[in-house]
């Protein structure tokens, strides 16, 4: 458990950044904190800010957040054997707290436990609850800071979102077909943004990248568990010591 | 009914956030409830599922680079390249410093 302390540094940092960016994007302080309480997913919360401020219909905000959350489907599939012994309420909390980091920490613990791989609920909730509280508190601090600044441009807070998305995107760069997907999505997004306009650049751009990935893949089948582990390793690389 | 509509309109963002929380929870539980039943999935489907985050996030990076002037474009370009070498927290802080600096000199 002590090993998880360094992991709280990025949670704190991104929590504060979300708070400041949310205020700069026009959210109230109450809603900023509410987002961290209700959603508890960094990338999804940032995507919410970006898409919601475009003034688009609710369904398209929901679709964008669902799409960014997709990797969680793979995580929770991969965790099946480790959490199957939890009760229904325990499972509810376990899945609610299932962030990228949580997945990496739990997988790491399962590896340590050896073949049985059943992670105790106490371990699971121990890390998860700390991360959750830190995330909310840091969001509030960032939000307070943001609301004290009259013009968000002063500290570049209005531009946190694209820079944040650039770092998230580049975190995936070692993944198969990364360049082809990123280029296809970017080109279509820019073209649609200039012609049809927001929010269509997001859904149509994303579809282009997904189509390219599906076309480039080989025929055949793969195991769901291996795919999730690979995805988690890449999206948390540098944040968690797997050794 | 009118009361419900008025309540929603007054707190629209809060309701949207609650909905997004439910969606996030659904994806986090969905893999266990649905996907885990399939031990193996077609490789093309897996490739498509795995591509979703990269494909979505790609659409959010470059369009804002064209939304302002040179400062906005240069900052996004810097962030993408800097990620090859620097940790993301450093890139974000440096990116914010860069855009403030570039705007100050009038770009």
């Amino acid at each position: 458990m002590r090993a998880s302390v360094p992991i709280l540094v990025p949670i704190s940092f991104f929590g504060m950044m979300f708070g400041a960016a949310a205020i700069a994007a026009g959210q109230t302080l109450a809603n900023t904190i509410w987002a961290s309480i209700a959603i508890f997913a960094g990338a999804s919360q940032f995507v919410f800010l970006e898409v919601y401020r475009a003034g688009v219909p609710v369904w398209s905000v929901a679709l964008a957040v669902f799409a960014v959350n997709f990797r969680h489907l793979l995580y929770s599939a991969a965790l099946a054997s480790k959490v199957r012994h939890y009760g229904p309420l325990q499972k509810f909390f376990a899945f609610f707290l299932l962030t990228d980091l949580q997945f990496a920490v739990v997988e790491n613990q399962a590896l340590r436990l050896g073949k049985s791989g059943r992670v105790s609920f106490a371990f699971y909730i121990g890390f998860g609850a700390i991360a959750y509280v830190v995330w909310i508190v840091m969001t509030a601090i960032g939000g307070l800071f943001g609301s004290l600044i009259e013009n968000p441009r002063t500290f570049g807070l209005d531009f946190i979102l694209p820079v944040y998305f650039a770092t998230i995107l580049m975190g995936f760069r070692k993944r198969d077909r990364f360049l082809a997907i990123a280029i296809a999505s970017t080109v279509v997004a820019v073209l649609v943004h200039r012609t049809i306009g927001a929010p269509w650049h997001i859904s149509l751009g994303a579809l282009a990248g997904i189509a390219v990935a599906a076309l480039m893949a080989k025929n055949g089948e793969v195991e769901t568990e291996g795919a999730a582990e690979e995805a988690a390793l890449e999206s948390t690389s540098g944040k968690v010591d797997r050794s | 009914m009118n009361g419900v509509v008025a309540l929603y309109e007054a707190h629209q963002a809060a309701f949207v956030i609650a909905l997004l929380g439910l969606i996030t929870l659904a994806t986090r539980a969905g893999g266990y409830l649905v996907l885990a039943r399939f031990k193996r999935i077609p490789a093309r489907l897996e490739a498509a599922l795995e591509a979703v985050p990269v494909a979505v996030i790609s659409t959010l990076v470059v369009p804002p680079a064209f939304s302002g002037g040179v400062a906005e474009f240069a900052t996004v370009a810097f962030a993408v390249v800097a990620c090859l070498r620097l940790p993301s927290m450093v890139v974000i802080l440096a990116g914010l410093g860069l855009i403030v600096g570039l705007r100050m000199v009038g770009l």
Side-chain angles (χ1 to χ4, degrees), chain A residues 49-166:
Chain A
L49 295 181
E50 175 72 27
V51 182
Y52 188 79
R53 75 169 163 186
V56 302
V58 173
W59 63 262
S60 65
V61 181
L63 192 66
V65 167
F66 178 66
V68 172
N69 268 326
F70 235 83
R71 66 192 186 287
H72 290 130
L73 287 171
L74 294 173
Y75 294 172
S76 82
L79 277 190
S81 63
K82 287 120 203 166
V83 304
R84 193 161 277 145
H85 60 293
Y86 294 1
L89 198 63
Q90 290 178 324
K91 275 186 189 135
F92 172 84
F93 286 117
F95 290 130
F96 180 79
L97 298 172
L98 184 55
T99 57
D100 296 307
L101 282 175
Q102 182 77 29
F103 180 72
V105 166
V106 170
E107 282 288 322
N108 202 23
Q109 176 70 2
L111 217 62
R112 250 180 240 179
L113 291 173
K115 266 287 169 197
S116 83
R118 284 183 166 197
V119 176
S120 75
F121 184 69
F123 177 90
Y124 193 109
I125 215 73
F127 179 76
I130 292 169
Y132 186 52
V133 171
V134 168
W135 179 249
I136 294 167
V137 170
M138 290 302 168
T139 299
I141 292 172
L144 276 173
F145 173 75
S147 51
L148 291 177
I149 295 160
E150 247 168 62
N151 185 353
R153 287 170 68 96
T154 316
F155 291 97
L157 300 184
D158 62 314
F159 216 65
I160 292 176
L161 292 175
V163 176
Y164 170 84
F165 290 131

Side-chain angles (χ1 to χ4, degrees), chain A residues 3 9 11-12 46 51 85 94 97 116 127 143 153 156 167 196 217 223:
Chain A
V9 174
I11 298 177
S12 304
F46 279 95
V51 182
H85 60 293
L97 298 172
S116 83
F127 179 76
R153 287 170 68 96
T167 65
I196 309 174
E223 283 177 25

Side-chain angles (χ1 to χ4, degrees), chain B residues 5-96:
Chain B
V5 173
L7 186 74
Y8 174 77
E9 276 170 3
H11 302 282
Q12 202 210 5
F15 281 108
V16 172
I17 289 166
L19 173 70
L20 300 180
L22 289 177
I23 290 172
T24 303
L25 178 62
T27 58
R28 285 173 174 170
Y32 175 79
L33 297 173
V34 181
L35 207 57
R37 288 166 204 274
F38 305 91
K39 274 264 170 261
R40 304 171 69 78
I41 54 173
R44 284 187 199 279
L45 177 63
E46 192 256 357
L49 292 181
E50 233 190 83
V52 172
V54 172
V56 174
I57 294 165
S58 293
T59 69
L60 303 176
V61 175
V62 179
F66 294 110
S67 65
V70 176
E72 284 75 13
F73 186 84
T75 302
V76 171
F78 159 80
V80 169
V81 175
C83 285
L84 295 172
R85 280 296 162 87
L86 300 170
S88 52
M89 284 187 274
V90 176
V91 173
I92 291 174
L93 289 177
L96 296 188

